[in-house]
Amino acid sequence: MKNPFLAFRSVPVSDEGNPPDRIMADHQSPVQQLLNTYRNLLEGPAKELAWYIDHTSRMNYYKAILKGMEFPQHVKNTLAFAEKVYHHVFEAVQHIPYDVGDIEDLCALMSFSPELSKNELRPAGVYISALVNASRKEHIVLKLPILQHSFNFLGFKLPTGKTLLFEGSAGDFTGAKLCGGFLHVEGPARNWCGIAMEQGEILITKDTGQKTGELMTGGKISVQGSILGIARSRVAGEIYQKGKPVPTQ
Amino acid sequence: MTDNNNDPHRAKVHHIYAYIRDNYYFNRPDLRIKGEEFNAALLFSLLVGLFQGKALIIGEPGLGKTTSVEYMGALLYRLPLGTIWRGEISGHPEQTEEKIIGRPDLGKLSQGKEVVVWSHFSLLPVKIVDEINRLPETKQSLILDGVDRGNWAYLNDAIINREYCLFATANYQDQGTNTIIAPLMDRFDMMVESKHPGANLAGCIGTESPDGAALRHESLENQFKSVLSREDDYEDRMKKVEELSGEFGSYLEENYQLPSFSLAERQAIRSQKDEIRFDVDSHAFLRFITAELSFCYPYGQKRSRESCEEGCHFNGYLCHRIKSCISNRFPMSARSLSQALAWLLGDDHVDLEHLKAVLPYTLAHRIQWKENAVARCEKAMRRDPLEIYMAKEAVEEVHERYMEQGHRIKEALAVACRIAENEAMAPLHGDHPLYWEIRKDLGEEVHPP
C-alpha cells in the first residue's frame, strides 16, 4: 500500500514516544506509585463502584423506556460507593509525595494505558478528585485536552477554598457532591453534572448532558454551551445557561 | 493589491483584478490575506477562472453575480462579451439537454446521418450557468459529468474540453428555486457570496460610465459564432477560436491597454501553480480538518443516514455536528485553490494562512450541519450567509485545536511514516480523530474510548 505519510518524512521525531511509555519507565516515580495504588483499589471498593457507574449510565440511555419510573435507587448507591472509595483513597495516598504535575501525568497515563480497561477507568475520577482534594495546593490546573478517555466524577467533593481548572472533556458525574469549591471545566461535561452538589460553583464552558443538577441542594452551575437535559429532582441551587437562569422543571 | 510584481503573468492577473474592481464590480474588500485586502467574490472568481475550477456564486438578485464572472471570463480567455453571453445557459424548468449540450442536425438527420450540433456552452472554455437552482433536480443531473470532467456526450458523439472553467450563480431560495442536488453541489470547488456593496458604492454604479464597450467586438463575435457553428472537428474549431482570441487580445491591448491571456500563457501559469509545494503545517492541517469531517468512531466513518449518539466521546469535534462525510473533492479543491492563492501572492509555497483563507469557501457548500448546530448559529451577528459563516467558525475552531496539538500531530504523522517504512516504532496516541485514522492506516485495531 502507498505510504500516505511521506510528506512528513522530514519532521524530526523525539525519542520520547508516548507520554505513558516515558512515565512507565520510571518505576519509583510518584506517578507509578499512584498508579499501583489505583490498581490495588480496583481489587477492592472501586470494583463495585465501576459496576454502579456502568449501570447508571446504561439506565440513563434507557430513560425513554423507563419514563415514569421513580428516581433509581442505584444512582444514590453509586454516590454512596463513590464516597466510600474517596475516603479509602484519602488514606491510601498519604505517604506518596505527589504534586499537581504528577496528577496530570497520572491522568494521561491512565487514559492511554492499554492495561486499564474502559471498565477499570470508570471510577478513576473519584481517585483523581481525592488526590486533588488531598493536595495542599488551593488552585489546581489540569490541562488534559487530548485524553483518550474522559474521567467521571471530576471535582467530586471539591471543598471550600479549592479551585480546580480542568481543560478537556469531563465525563459523567462532574462536580458530584461539590462541597463549596470552584470547579471550572474548559470543555464539555457529560450526564449528571453537579449531581447532589451542596455548595460552591461549577462552570462548564461547553455543553452538559442529561440530568444536569440532579439532586442538587445548593450552589451554582453555569453552562456556557447547551444543556441536553435539566434535572427533575433538583431541591435547591441555581443553574445558568449562557448567563440566564434555568427554572426548575 | 500590490502592483509590484516581477512575474509578468502575475502582474497581468493583478491588473485584470484591479480593472474589474475599479470599473465593473464595485464592492468592499471582505478578505484579508498576508496584509492584502480582497473582495472574496472577485478574488475567487479570478482564481477559479484562471485555474479551471468551478465556482458557485450565491446572492440576492442584481448584485453582480453573473456580470462579474462574464467580465472575468472575457479577459482571462480573450472572448468578447457577446460570445460569452452566447455560451451562457440559464436555469429554468423548461431547459433541455438539447439546449444545454447539443442537438441533432435535423437536416443531416433527414438524410440518415447522425451529426451533433454542439451548444456554445459545451464548446467554450468559459461556462456560465445563470440561476442554476432554477433547474429542476432531474435536469441538474444532465450536467453532472460535464461539470466534473468537461465531458459532454450527446447521441453517440462526445467532446472533451481541453480547458474549461465553470461559474454557476444561484439566488437565495424563493418560490421558483429548487435544491441543488448534493452530487452537483460537491462538484463546485468553492462557494462565495456576491454581497451588496453598501449604499455609497451602490450609488456610484452607473454614474460613471465604465467603458463596457471595451469587451464587446461585434465583428469578432460574429466570427466566433461562425467558427463555433462549423462542423469541423472539436480540436480544429478550438484552434480557430484561439486565433480569434489572439485577435481580440490584440484589440484589447492596443485600444484599451487591457491585458489578457493566450492559451499558452494560461498553461504556463497553471504549470507555475502546480509547482508550488505545501509546507508541513498546511499538509498536516488539511488532514486534521478532513479527519474531523469524515471520522466516526462507532460507525467507522460519517454517513448521511447514520447519526452518532449524544454521549459519544468525540462530541467536541466537528464530526459530532455534521450529518454526512466530506467528499474526496474537498481536499482537491482546497489544495488547488490554496496553490492558486499562493501563486497570486507570489509565495513559493502554501502555508497555513493560504489554506485557512480558502477553506471556508471550499467547505461552506459541502458541509451538512445537524439541526442543533444550525440553531446555535443562525441568529448570531455576522456578515456572511449562514453556510459561509458556519464554515468560517468551524475552520477557526479547528485551527485553534491545531495550534495546540499541531506539534504532536506532525510528530505522530512522522512516526507513522517511519512505521510505514518498516522502522520499529510505536504510533503516537492522542484524542484527535487524526491519531485514530493514523492508527487505522497502520493496521492497528482501535478500541472504543
Side-chain angles (χ1 to χ4, degrees), chain A residues 136-147:
Chain A
R136 285 183 187 169
K137 284 196 88 171
E138 287 179 351
H139 186 77
I140 292 179
V141 180
L142 298 178
K143 290 189 178 185
L144 295 155
I146 53 163
L147 286 182

Side-chain angles (χ1 to χ4, degrees), chain B residues 57-126:
Chain B
I57 302 165
I58 57 169
E60 296 287 1
L63 295 187
K65 299 186 292 292
T66 315
T67 315
S68 61
V69 295
E70 285 168 350
Y71 293 138
M72 199 65 85
L75 287 172
L76 294 176
Y77 287 81
R78 288 182 171 165
L79 296 170
L81 266 185
T83 305
I84 298 262
W85 292 337
R86 280 204 179 101
E88 259 177 54
I89 56 167
S90 57
H92 59 77
E94 303 307 317
Q95 196 57 271
T96 61
E97 190 172 12
E98 284 67 30
K99 288 181 199 163
I100 299 173
I101 301 172
R103 58 184 168 81
D105 184 329
L106 295 176
K108 295 272 166 55
L109 198 62
S110 66
Q111 296 163 17
K113 289 181 192 165
E114 196 177 275
V115 176
V116 178
V117 180
W118 295 105
S119 69
H120 289 196
F121 173 77
S122 53
L123 289 168
L124 284 171
V126 179

Side-chain angles (χ1 to χ4, degrees), chain B residues 133-134 172-178:
Chain B
N133 54 348
R134 293 194 192 278
Y172 292 119
Q173 213 71 20
D174 61 37
Q175 286 177 337
T177 57
N178 301 289

Side-chain angles (χ1 to χ4, degrees), chain A residues 4 9 14 18-19 147-149, chain B residues 287 313 411 421 427 429 431 449:
Chain A
R9 187 186 256 159
S14 65
N18 285 309
L147 286 182
Q148 201 160 301
H149 297 270
Chain B
R287 287 171 192 224
H313 171 78
E411 196 174 340
E421 290 175 343
H429 292 194
D431 192 61

